[in-house]
Amino acid sequence: MSINIELRHLRYFIAVAEELHFGRAAERLNISQPPLSQQIQALETSIKAQLLARNNRNVSLTPAGNMFLKEAYQILAQVDAAATKAARMQQGELGEISIGFTSTTPFMRKVTLSLRQFRERYPDVSIHMHQMNTKQQIAPLQTGRVLNS
């Protein structure tokens, strides 16, 4: 069973569910009411469940609508979190770094201070340290990748 739900459908549904009024939800979303109503109907058709009970005066959530609302909040939160993580990774604030070092490197004050400052500034970047002699460092320098030795 393939269901084609777009994020905008979730946002539209959430707006209607929070407002319990199509006109106010449409205004909040900066769209007109007829397309909003059509999109909600298309969503309900797609998932084969009535999410909203409507009459001329009232809009209310059905039990399926209540459950769907909770899930829609979670889905949008996950999408936002994924986008934030991707941006942080792109900016170098998240991920991992591998560093090759010689046996004397840990005794160099500037190196240990720099690593400490990096760890404080970027706590979500994992640092992998690999002790290597000078000859072992040549290939990783040429390829740009430090591998476990």
Side-chain angles (χ1 to χ4, degrees):
M1 180 169 142
S2 178
I3 298 173
N4 187 19
I5 299 175
E6 297 178 21
L7 293 179
R8 68 184 164 90
H9 292 126
L10 299 179
R11 289 186 181 97
Y12 290 175
F13 171 72
I14 288 170
V16 174
E18 288 177 349
E19 297 291 339
L20 293 176
H21 191 276
F22 277 88
R24 286 192 301 266
E27 190 174 307
R28 175 173 141 184
L29 294 165
N30 293 316
I31 62 174
S32 60
Q33 184 183 340
L36 175 60
S37 296
Q38 291 168 354
Q39 290 296 314
I40 296 298
Q41 286 174 342
L43 174 62
E44 290 175 320
T45 300
S46 177
I47 64 173
K48 297 180 175 75
Q50 184 179 358
L51 303 174
L52 301 165
R54 332 151 164 76
N55 63 34
N56 290 340
R57 295 182 170 214
N58 296 322
V59 175
S60 61
L61 288 167
T62 64
N66 272 314
M67 183 279 309
F68 192 81
L69 179 61
K70 290 174 190 167
E71 297 289 331
Y73 282 136
Q74 290 178 354
I75 291 165
L76 290 182
Q78 285 181 308
V79 169
D80 288 344
T84 299
K85 280 183 176 181
R88 290 187 66 214
M89 184 166 270
Q90 179 68 33
Q91 295 167 358
E93 298 173 3
L94 183 70
E96 57 184 53
I97 185 171
S98 291
I99 300 173
F101 66 97
T102 61
S103 59
T104 59
T105 303
F107 302 108
M108 298 177 159
R109 183 165 158 55
K110 284 192 175 206
V111 172
T112 56
L113 180 61
S114 295
L115 285 171
R116 186 178 314 120
Q117 289 173 339
F118 183 88
R119 166 67 61 217
E120 289 170 1
R121 185 165 180 191
Y122 303 104
D124 295 327
V125 175
S126 299
I127 300 175
H128 303 284
M129 303 289 290
H130 306 279
Q131 185 174 343
M132 309 170 147
N133 65 38
T134 305
K135 283 186 178 182
Q136 291 171 317
Q137 291 180 8
I138 294 171
L141 284 171
Q142 291 173 335
T143 62
R145 294 193 56 85
V146 174
L147 305 173
N148 289 332
S149 51

